[in-house]
Amino acid sequence: MTTFSNDKAIYLQMADRLCDEILAGLYGDDDRIPSVREYAVLLQVNTNTAVKAYDALARDGIIYNRRGLGYFVSAGARATIMQARRREFMEQTLPDVFRRMRLLGIGIDEVVKRWE
């Protein structure tokens, strides 16, 4: 069973999961992805929730619909996702990490040492 967090709408978490699958190479450019109904069953959510996720991804140019054939990964989707995720990391996640580091007295040298 798939578990969803309470801090973000389920359809957005579904869209993130599909993006993760594209980033991981599960789906490449112009590959067919599971139908809305298949993905809803897989993740045990309402079909309307899956429709919202697919609509959001289509709006962002990550996937496209071929009438009667289903949804497919847009050319360049991986690069588009990567660019958006990097921007989000740099503008939202990293500032929060640095704020926490400052509060906890953790220097960048300590982080680099731990990383290596």
Side-chain angles (χ1 to χ4, degrees), residues 22-33:
I22 292 168
L23 286 176
L26 191 59
Y27 305 109
D29 289 356
D30 295 313
D31 281 352
R32 186 182 177 282
I33 60 173

Side-chain angles (χ1 to χ4, degrees), residues 9-28:
I10 291 175
Y11 82 94
L12 292 174
Q13 293 178 65
M14 289 180 68
D16 285 346
R17 178 183 167 139
L18 197 49
C19 286
D20 289 346
E21 292 169 353
I22 292 168
L23 286 176
L26 191 59
Y27 305 109

Side-chain angles (χ1 to χ4, degrees), residues 3-20 45 49 52 56-57 60 84-85 88 92-93:
T3 55
F4 295 101
S5 67
N6 291 327
D7 63 341
K8 194 175 197 181
I10 291 175
Y11 82 94
L12 292 174
Q13 293 178 65
M14 289 180 68
D16 285 346
R17 178 183 167 139
L18 197 49
C19 286
D20 289 346
V45 299
T49 303
K52 285 178 72 172
L57 290 170
D60 291 343
R85 295 263 177 106
E88 179 183 338
Q92 295 173 14
T93 305

Side-chain angles (χ1 to χ4, degrees), residues 11-73:
Y11 82 94
L12 292 174
Q13 293 178 65
M14 289 180 68
D16 285 346
R17 178 183 167 139
L18 197 49
C19 286
D20 289 346
E21 292 169 353
I22 292 168
L23 286 176
L26 191 59
Y27 305 109
D29 289 356
D30 295 313
D31 281 352
R32 186 182 177 282
I33 60 173
S35 71
V36 169
R37 186 168 278 119
E38 290 168 338
Y39 214 56
V41 168
L42 176 71
L43 299 182
Q44 300 176 349
V45 299
N46 185 294
T47 304
N48 291 331
T49 303
V51 167
K52 285 178 72 172
Y54 277 48
D55 285 348
L57 290 170
R59 240 187 343 269
D60 291 343
I62 304 299
I63 62 174
Y64 64 93
N65 188 9
R66 282 191 184 157
R67 198 171 214 60
L69 296 176
Y71 282 92
F72 295 80
V73 177

